[in-house]
Amino acid sequence: MSVSQLCYRSRIHWPALRHDLDTEMDLTLMRIRRINSRAGVTGALILTDTHVFQMLEGPWEAVKRTFECVLQDKRHSHLTVLHNGTQENKLFYGSWMQFFDLRSEDDSNAPDPFDDFSRNADRMHRDGVLELFQVLSLTLTERQLTNRLSLM
């Protein structure tokens, strides 16, 4: 069975933030994860110095409703859909919203091939963004396996 995927990029609209960016992200991620767990939507969110990239996965109606909420969120500007299609499997299976902070001041978890992602966020094209999500999903899988092995 195929799964719907929608990926977008948006510029952070700083005047719409009610808190500092770290607090805003913490509160937003808690809310997103709660809503996504009920809707069956998984995915990931990448934060750069200036942009947010998000991959939404799940049943089309749930992905569509989630994206409609994103469109109403005043913290986004210059929103561009980079990918809207289907895949055989979810990249972020079991993750209501995995978070990757790729800001330049805190890029310790950024994969080496993408260490300049933040500086070029507004010029990243569909294929580059989808490749990054794919690489990050692999690191998530490795981390989950490592965590399971360490518990044995």
Side-chain angles (χ1 to χ4, degrees):
M1 185 171 111
S2 63
V3 61
S4 294
Q5 283 186 330
L6 190 143
C7 176
Y8 70 86
R9 168 187 57 219
S10 73
R11 181 174 283 280
I12 298 168
H13 184 63
W14 298 102
L17 271 60
R18 294 179 291 266
H19 308 283
D20 65 271
L21 187 55
D22 289 329
T23 303
E24 194 83 30
M25 289 308 303
D26 288 342
L27 294 170
T28 299
L29 286 166
M30 280 192 304
R31 181 176 169 271
I32 287 172
R33 288 171 178 148
R34 185 179 66 248
I35 292 168
N36 286 356
S37 69
R38 292 182 194 143
V41 173
T42 59
L45 189 144
I46 299 170
L47 176 66
T48 71
D49 293 325
T50 57
H51 288 77
V52 170
F53 294 81
Q54 189 171 27
M55 170 70 75
L56 301 169
E57 306 174 306
W60 170 241
E61 285 302 318
V63 168
K64 183 177 145 193
R65 277 192 307 275
T66 301
F67 186 61
E68 287 168 351
C69 290
V70 170
L71 292 173
Q72 300 303 312
D73 191 332
K74 302 293 185 214
R75 297 172 295 177
H76 295 280
S77 70
H78 300 88
L79 192 142
T80 304
V81 173
L82 300 172
H83 171 69
N84 185 7
T86 58
Q87 290 289 115
E88 271 309 304
N89 301 301
K90 291 182 174 187
L91 287 175
F92 296 95
Y93 179 82
S95 177
W96 302 124
M97 191 51 56
Q98 187 64 39
F99 176 62
F100 299 96
D101 189 343
L102 300 187
R103 290 179 288 174
S104 58
E105 71 266 8
D106 183 19
D107 63 354
S108 59
N109 65 347
D112 289 341
F114 300 100
D115 60 358
D116 68 343
F117 189 83
S118 186
R119 289 186 297 275
N120 297 309
D122 57 341
R123 292 186 298 252
M124 291 300 296
H125 295 283
R126 175 191 180 275
D127 292 343
V129 173
L130 293 178
E131 182 181 357
L132 178 58
F133 275 115
Q134 213 165 21
V135 168
L136 292 173
S137 75
L138 294 173
T139 64
L140 175 66
T141 303
E142 290 171 7
R143 194 166 44 238
Q144 286 173 333
L145 289 173
T146 303
N147 288 344
R148 286 184 192 144
L149 289 174
S150 67
L151 294 173
M152 296 174 95

